[in-house]
Amino acid sequence: MANVTENGWEQLWLRYDKKVDAGNGKYFEAAPQLVGFDPENCVVRSALLELSRGVCGMLGMQMKAGDIAKAVAGADQASNGTAAAGADQAGNSATGASAAGEQGKTSGSQAGLVLKKVPEGTLTESGKALKAQGYALCENDGRLEITAADENGLLYGIFHLLRVISCEKSLSGSNVTCNPDNPLRMFNHWDNMDGSIERGYSGRSFFFENDDIVINERTKDYARLMASIGINGVVINNVNVKQAATWLITDRFFEKVVQLSKIFAEYGIKFFLSLNYAATIELGGIDSADPFDERVIAWWKAKMQECFAKIPNLGGFLVKADSEGRPGPFTYGRTQADGANMLADAVAPYGGIIIWRCFVYNCRQDWRDRKTDRARAGYDNFIGMDGDYRENVILQIKNGPMDFQIREPISPLLGGLKKTNQMLEVQVAQEYTGHQIDVCYLIPMFKEVLDFHTYCKPGADTVADVISGRTMGNKNTGIAAVINTGNDVNWTGNYLAAANLYGFGRLAFNTELSAEEILDEWIPMQFSTDAEVLRVVKGILLPSRATYEKYTSPLGIGWMVTPHDHYGCSVDGYEYDRWGTYHRADHLGMGVDRTDAGTGYAQQYNEPNASMYNSLETCPEELLLFFHHVPYAHVLKSGKTLIQHIYDSHFEGYKEAEAFAAAWDGLQGKVEERVFDNVKERFGRQLYNAREWRDQVNSYFYRKSGIEDEKGREIY
Ligand code: GCV
């Protein structure tokens, strides 16, 4: 069961240890036939090598690297008669394929594995049209065929096949077509060049150390992990681009940037960098970053020409402007569209895109006037320019209007913007959701976001519709997550946090997957196919978000975390409100009035959402305190008063966390010892944290309200 490689890090769900063969070995007795794919293509080669590695590890079908080279060579001769690339050079894995076979044939009767390229739009066996980066996997009479319109599709098809083997399921009778729902499926790293990670909870960066770029075998394993879940774009550096990171677009780092981006290219992943909007000042020696200044425009044009000429796999750039101290166009009296478009024009000749974040707000606002509302900022700063953005600009919008709280309404910009490319940003890194100490499976939350009806267009109005391009018919759209990885042996600090890493990628590819289906894949791949392990881990993960919510901030109010660190309870701790009034709690009630009578935020939604949130009667209760200031005696639909709900949910949340820890204890001996110990140790810390939250929140509101707990429990 060993899964720590000799290099010192794990393979997570790509561990490829020995599995029970559910009758799949027969597809790999002969070398796979390549039809239409260029065997010299680096992504094709990665796919074949992954196949060989997986089949060898899981089914024990030995084959030397030379044999896959033969397979590649055979295919190459059959398709275009040129010499093949030596797979030996590309890796040293073994493969289940045994001989070159009759390459290029597509005869329906031939058993084995066929990897076939077809034009986009081709109808698959299951009657669907193949899209870019999609694949079909089909089995008939011992012949298994992966059909794809491009190399990414082939790679994802191979990973699908390996997933099935890893879960000890049969490939026989397979007939699926999997097209990606989102064109762009990205991870954003908040890694700094000194090796630290902003909001990182699993060690240091594996991309950077001592203001330099790190490239090693782990980089490749990272790319494999990403490709295995369908990720096709990665931003390697923090959106807060400071000091050395500003120089990533200069000769000082180009050589290593290129090396890194080539590794990504081998796995079909576009390479992105975060940009410092003020680079004209910091690098260019120009005294301005005004997007209308000709010197600024010319500098960026030349810089982008240089970047795209030097970095072959560059997809574009991510920009955080005018937020939390970062520079931006506001300094020059320009709009966010002015800034984004100036950069978009500079990258357009090279097919580049600019992903512009909508996390723009004034963190120095004075909250005491009760009208000021950070939640309003994203919409107020962007909605007026809807339709003014270039085609190669995508606005990246956090799921909620504030900042990745355990419960927030969906940002009204999503589906509020009707003529602008949009991308959803979620946070897999557990900044506000337990720092990868507390268990918190986030996929149920992401599903809620994707399923939300924005009412922007009849029949195609969910967030999933908007970001997939279905609403507007646009193609520069997608989904991004702030990643939760670091250089810890297990990548994510807590082993259970890898469920969020895996789950995000799978969900980004297929937004229809349920949170449970994702676990049904991930648990057998990463831990064990033992039914008890599956039952217990699912029993912990599926309700874990609800549990975390119960023992932290109630009914959508959010925050109440320690300032800056964002772990642990501090009821008045919201760092951008130094008067401690964010939650508006007094002796009578609590909650922020965001109705017409309050900050007016509810009006930012399309109808009927605006009215729904505006009214106390129709506002969903899980968001009650986000939208309304409510007396403690207010009776909820459950029949409980608000204050009793606070007490009860906090006691319940703690008890549930205790039950998770006990359930995990039952897995001793069923999962590897270091996995068991790691999660057990985290549960110990989670219980301490949950108890602190429970007691601090309950005491705070008991003292404010003076209302006793009906159940007479100990509240101080
Ligand atoms: C990268 C929050 C986080 C910051 C983060 C910021 C952002 O404010 O606390 O660490 O900065 O969001 O998303 O830009």
Side-chain angles (χ1 to χ4, degrees):
M1 286 212 287
N3 185 229
V4 177
T5 70
E6 56 195 31
N7 296 316
W9 58 88
E10 306 218 11
Q11 297 292 322
L12 304 183
W13 54 88
L14 298 184
R15 51 189 297 160
Y16 299 149
D17 54 349
K18 190 86 179 75
K19 297 282 177 170
V20 172
D21 182 1
N24 297 319
K26 59 178 176 286
Y27 307 115
F28 313 106
E29 279 160 9
Q33 300 174 54
L34 272 184
V35 183
F37 279 108
D38 174 3
E40 286 193 49
N41 179 285
C42 63
V43 179
V44 173
R45 196 158 16 165
S46 299
L48 288 173
L49 289 171
E50 196 67 33
L51 175 73
S52 71
R53 183 173 179 162
V55 167
C56 171
M58 294 190 286
L59 301 180
M61 299 179 70
Q62 296 295 331
M63 187 182 174
K64 303 266 166 16
D67 290 331
I68 202 143
K70 268 195 265 164
V72 170
D76 189 54
Q77 279 149 21
S79 58
N80 57 21
T82 57
D88 281 309
Q89 292 157 13
N92 55 9
S93 345
T95 177
S98 63
E102 293 179 75
Q103 308 305 327
K105 288 195 180 171
T106 55
S107 139
S109 61
Q110 196 175 4
L113 175 63
V114 179
L115 309 172
K116 188 169 159 193
K117 190 170 190 178
V118 295
E120 208 178 310
T122 300
L123 281 190
T124 66
E125 290 266 329
S126 51
K128 293 192 184 145
L130 261 185
K131 289 195 198 157
Q133 306 202 347
Y135 61 89
L137 183 78
C138 189
E139 197 271 354
N140 276 313
D141 295 334
R143 175 189 157 98
L144 183 63
E145 189 170 282
I146 294 178
T147 321
D150 51 36
E151 290 68 27
N152 275 51
L154 172 68
L155 185 62
Y156 303 148
I158 295 282
F159 276 117
H160 182 127
L161 176 162
L162 293 171
R163 220 163 29 235
V164 175
I165 298 174
S166 189
C167 292
E168 299 181 347
K169 301 243 164 79
S170 169
L171 286 158
S172 169
S174 298
N175 186 10
V176 287
T177 303
C178 303
N179 285 316
D181 282 319
N182 292 296
L184 271 168
R185 306 173 298 277
M186 301 185 70
F187 269 121
N188 294 178
H189 284 258
W190 285 358
D191 292 25
N192 300 314
M193 290 202 67
D194 63 1
S196 63
I197 301 178
E198 184 153 350
R199 312 307 177 185
Y201 312 108
S202 40
R204 293 177 66 75
S205 172
F206 43 75
F207 287 139
F208 306 115
E209 194 57 81
N210 297 324
D211 286 347
D212 202 355
I213 296 176
V214 177
I215 299 172
N216 55 30
E217 273 301 303
R218 191 167 188 157
T219 322
K220 191 160 182 165
D221 281 345
Y222 166 82
R224 292 176 50 237
L225 285 166
M226 294 296 103
S228 73
I229 50 175
I231 295 297
N232 65 356
V234 166
V235 186
I236 61 162
N237 63 312
N238 190 356
V239 286
N240 291 324
V241 186
K242 296 179 192 162
Q243 288 119 17
T246 305
W247 293 80
L248 280 167
I249 51 170
T250 70
D251 277 334
R252 185 162 147 194
F253 291 114
F254 272 144
E255 203 183 312
K256 285 193 177 165
V257 161
V258 169
Q259 279 178 44
L260 203 52
S261 93
K262 280 187 176 160
I263 295 174
F264 286 11
E266 287 170 16
Y267 289 89
I269 302 165
K270 280 280 179 193
F271 183 84
F272 287 79
L273 289 169
S274 294
L275 273 190
N276 182 339
Y277 182 79
T280 44
I281 301 172
E282 297 196 25
L283 300 177
I286 300 168
D287 59 2
S288 171
D290 181 349
F292 287 0
D293 185 320
E294 290 302 331
R295 297 168 303 158
V296 171
I297 296 169
W299 188 87
W300 277 116
K301 281 199 165 142
K303 181 48 78 183
M304 290 308 169
Q305 185 184 35
E306 185 187 7
C307 286
F308 281 90
K310 290 188 171 155
I311 311 169
N313 181 36
L314 185 59
F317 297 91
L318 174 66
V319 187
K320 170 177 178 176
D322 286 312
S323 180
E324 300 181 339
R326 302 317 301 144
F330 281 169
T331 309
Y332 306 93
R334 313 296 185 196
T335 66
Q336 296 297 298
D338 296 333
N341 288 342
M342 182 269 295
L343 290 173
D345 288 342
V347 301
Y350 320 102
I353 57 173
I354 295 296
I355 304 174
W356 191 270
R357 295 178 86 225
C358 293
F359 186 64
V360 176
Y361 74 106
N362 173 10
C363 59
R364 302 199 176 280
Q365 288 171 323
D366 185 336
W367 289 75
R368 287 168 298 178
D369 67 3
R370 310 257 150 158
K371 291 282 179 196
T372 300
D373 186 1
R374 171 177 169 180
R376 292 191 58 108
Y379 190 91
D380 286 345
N381 283 320
F382 284 88
I383 201 70
M385 295 154 285
D386 189 13
D388 291 347
Y389 296 87
R390 301 281 190 267
E391 182 43 36
N392 61 334
V393 171
I394 308 179
L395 295 188
Q396 184 165 300
I397 305 164
K398 286 191 183 185
N399 61 275
M402 296 294 273
D403 195 14
F404 300 135
Q405 302 303 292
I406 188 68
R407 174 77 65 180
E408 281 187 55
I410 310 309
S411 167
L413 270 176
L414 290 159
L417 292 162
K418 302 204 173 50
K419 294 175 277 185
T420 300
N421 297 328
Q422 293 158 65
M423 202 158 155
L424 172 66
E425 178 179 320
V426 295
Q427 195 182 40
V428 166
Q430 290 177 238
E431 176 179 358
Y432 296 96
T433 54
H435 282 206
Q436 288 141 241
I437 298 167
D438 299 26
V439 64
C440 190
Y441 181 49
L442 293 163
I443 306 304
M445 183 206 284
F446 301 162
K447 293 281 301 175
E448 281 172 17
V449 175
L450 290 166
D451 291 346
F452 180 75
H453 287 281
T454 68
Y455 295 100
C456 61
K457 183 182 175 186
D461 71 343
T462 63
V463 170
D465 289 329
V466 172
I467 63 165
S468 64
R470 289 192 291 268
T471 306
M472 289 185 248
N474 47 349
K475 64 176 181 13
N476 282 332
T477 60
I479 181 166
V482 181
I483 201 165
N484 61 352
T485 53
N487 71 356
D488 275 3
V489 171
N490 69 3
W491 301 78
T492 56
N494 186 334
Y495 277 91
L496 294 183
N500 289 327
L501 183 67
Y502 180 85
F504 170 77
R506 294 289 292 127
L507 190 64
F509 197 93
N510 178 358
T511 51
E512 294 295 307
L513 281 176
S514 73
E516 185 168 1
E517 282 167 331
I518 288 170
L519 292 182
D520 284 333
E521 294 175 2
W522 174 72
I523 296 167
M525 289 171 78
Q526 174 141 347
F527 295 136
S528 159
T529 46
D530 182 305
E532 179 66 0
V533 174
L534 187 68
R535 188 188 66 77
V536 170
V537 178
K538 272 165 73 171
I540 292 170
L541 287 174
L542 284 171
S544 60
R545 183 264 182 138
T547 298
Y548 188 84
E549 183 177 20
K550 283 182 189 173
Y551 65 74
T552 57
S553 59
L555 301 181
I557 191 72
W559 306 97
M560 299 190 178
V561 283
T562 53
H564 307 297
D565 179 50
H566 296 167
Y567 183 77
C569 182
S570 170
V571 178
D572 291 334
Y574 177 60
E575 73 241 49
Y576 295 127
D577 174 11
R578 59 187 178 281
W579 304 276
T581 57
Y582 167 73
H583 46 59
R584 314 284 207 260
D586 57 20
H587 67 293
L588 295 173
M590 66 178 298
V592 184
D593 184 355
R594 292 189 160 105
T595 67
D596 294 347
T599 73
Y601 164 80
Q603 290 308 329
Q604 293 185 337
Y605 288 88
N606 297 326
E607 286 294 3
N609 287 339
S611 300
M612 175 186 71
Y613 289 133
N614 204 53
S615 146
L616 186 61
E617 278 68 50
T618 54
C619 180
E621 272 185 350
E622 67 271 15
L623 288 168
L624 195 66
L625 302 177
F626 190 92
F627 284 100
H628 296 273
H629 186 84
V630 180
Y632 296 117
H634 174 81
V635 179
L636 302 174
K637 293 191 184 92
S638 61
K640 291 180 188 180
T641 59
L642 167 62
I643 190 73
Q644 193 57 40
H645 170 88
I646 292 175
Y647 298 150
D648 285 354
S649 59
H650 282 77
F651 281 111
E652 260 169 50
Y654 178 73
K655 277 217 157 326
E656 287 173 15
E658 264 188 335
F660 294 161
W664 182 259
D665 281 347
L667 289 187
Q668 188 158 24
K670 288 190 173 287
V671 292
E672 288 159 280
E673 203 178 325
R674 69 176 183 289
V675 174
F676 180 80
D677 291 347
N678 162 273
V679 177
K680 186 173 171 62
E681 184 266 344
R682 303 268 154 161
F683 271 132
R685 287 153 74 189
Q686 175 168 1
L687 287 184
Y688 178 82
N689 187 41
R691 198 166 45 234
E692 281 296 307
W693 271 95
R694 179 194 72 187
D695 293 345
Q696 289 198 36
V697 170
N698 282 348
S699 319
Y700 185 98
F701 290 103
Y702 171 58
R703 290 176 189 188
K704 274 262 185 263
S705 67
I707 302 174
E708 298 290 338
D709 170 34
E710 283 170 3
K711 298 177 184 161
R713 289 161 294 198
E714 209 163 66
I715 298 175
Y716 299 97

